Amino acid sequence: MEMKKRISLELRNRNPAEVVELVVDNCRSGDGEVEGLTDEYSELEVLSMVNVGLTSLSRLPSLPKLRKLEVSDNTISGGLDTLAEKCPNLTYLNLSGNKIKELSAIDGLNLKNLKSLDLYSCEVSTLDDYRESVLELLPQLTYLDGYDQEDNEAPDSDHDDEDEAGPHGDEDDDDEDEDEDSEGEEDEVGLSYLMKEGIQDEEDDGDYVEEEEEDEEEEEEDGDVHGAAVQGEKRKRDAEDEGDDDDDE
């Protein structure tokens, strides 16, 4: 896709002055120059044009708020002095994978706010004393190819590591919460079970008491019947005795 068309699509019905970040990587510049980008993008802070076939930045419009420019994997060989005029507030510039061969090509980077410059995979990075020479030529730099003069890595990488560690920490917390919830549910289930067992035991005890009462009532009834039978036998014997006495008279 042509760069001009790609930039138009990236607008997404917005006004160019509303665009803060623009990424048009892997599209194609027809003549090796920036196409479709105008001064109307006055609020642009991040611009990425990776692998688009650029040979020059001479047609880059004035972008006073641009802080980060990604133009790696192109064929730019010079003309970088234009950036000081058009992007005076640039703090990060990625030129890795371009055709920069001599230190003189970056001599024009008079950007007082430039803190990070990437030139790896450029031929210039193979020169003897490359790092010392570039840092001497551009003393405003803090990081060259992602590292400072003491070989400390640029903070962007550290920040990415923190972002990756954060979700894992949250997952651990979630696991602990889930374990606590599971233990709470088990306690509730166990308590419910014991309460249910207790209720059943009480019901069983009630049934047992009722059965004992019924047995006692049956025994009392049997006793009454037996007593009545004994009294009946006694009365019968008394009557027979009286009959015998009458016969003797």
Side-chain angles (χ1 to χ4, degrees):
M1 182 183 295
E2 294 182 356
M3 179 183 290
K4 190 173 183 179
K5 184 176 181 181
R6 174 70 179 276
I7 290 176
S8 179
L9 289 174
E10 290 294 329
L11 271 177
R12 300 171 187 171
N13 298 320
R14 293 176 294 174
N15 188 300
E18 299 173 351
V19 180
V20 176
E21 181 175 353
L22 183 63
V23 178
V24 292
D25 300 344
N26 303 311
C27 62
R28 188 53 48 191
S29 168
D31 57 1
E33 297 282 353
V34 177
E35 300 174 330
L37 199 62
T38 67
D39 294 343
E40 294 179 291
Y41 290 83
S42 57
E43 298 297 315
L44 197 61
E45 296 182 11
V46 178
L47 175 60
S48 183
M49 298 182 292
V50 176
N51 187 33
V52 296
L54 289 177
T55 59
S56 171
L57 294 173
S58 61
R59 290 189 196 169
L60 189 71
S62 178
L63 302 170
K65 291 190 176 182
L66 194 69
R67 297 180 296 102
K68 183 174 182 178
L69 178 61
E70 293 263 8
V71 286
S72 58
D73 299 328
N74 287 290
T75 55
I76 299 169
S77 58
L80 299 177
D81 53 338
T82 188
L83 293 176
E85 176 187 353
K86 297 179 178 180
C87 310
N89 290 307
L90 204 63
T91 60
Y92 174 85
L93 175 61
N94 189 346
L95 289 165
S96 59
N98 278 277
K99 300 297 183 181
I100 298 172
K101 300 179 180 180
E102 303 293 337
L103 289 173
S104 58
I106 61 173
D107 190 20
L109 287 175
N110 297 317
L111 295 158
K112 63 179 181 178
N113 295 318
L114 188 64
K115 300 300 180 185
S116 182
L117 174 65
D118 288 337
L119 292 169
Y120 51 83
S121 296
C122 292
E123 191 172 336
V124 68
S125 66
T126 64
L127 298 176
D128 293 338
D129 300 325
Y130 154 70
R131 289 186 61 82
E132 292 79 2
S133 299
V134 173
L135 292 173
E136 182 178 354
L137 189 63
L138 303 173
Q140 74 273 33
L141 287 181
T142 303
Y143 299 100
L144 176 61
D145 299 334
Y147 293 87
D148 65 11
Q149 296 186 44
E150 284 74 34
D151 289 333
N152 296 315
E153 196 170 1
D156 284 344
S157 299
D158 295 338
H159 181 66
D160 292 340
D161 292 339
E162 290 174 3
D163 288 344
E164 291 175 1
H168 295 302
D170 293 339
E171 288 176 2
D172 292 340
D173 292 340
D174 292 341
D175 291 341
E176 290 178 0
D177 293 340
E178 289 177 0
D179 291 340
E180 292 176 0
D181 293 341
S182 299
E183 290 176 358
E185 291 175 358
E186 290 176 358
D187 291 342
E188 292 177 2
V189 171
L191 183 59
S192 300
Y193 179 79
L194 291 174
M195 290 177 65
K196 184 176 179 181
E197 286 269 323
I199 292 171
Q200 290 178 347
D201 290 342
E202 289 177 1
E203 291 177 353
D204 293 341
D205 291 342
D207 293 341
Y208 181 75
V209 170
E210 290 177 359
E211 288 176 0
E212 286 184 344
E213 291 176 351
E214 290 176 359
D215 291 340
E216 290 176 358
E217 290 176 358
E218 289 177 359
E219 289 177 359
E220 289 177 356
E221 290 176 358
D222 292 341
D224 293 341
V225 172
H226 179 69
V230 170
Q231 291 178 357
E233 286 290 334
K234 185 178 180 182
R235 284 196 294 270
K236 182 178 179 181
R237 287 197 299 270
D238 290 343
E240 290 178 351
D241 292 339
E242 289 179 357
D244 293 336
D245 291 340
D246 290 341
D247 293 336
D248 291 337
E249 291 177 359

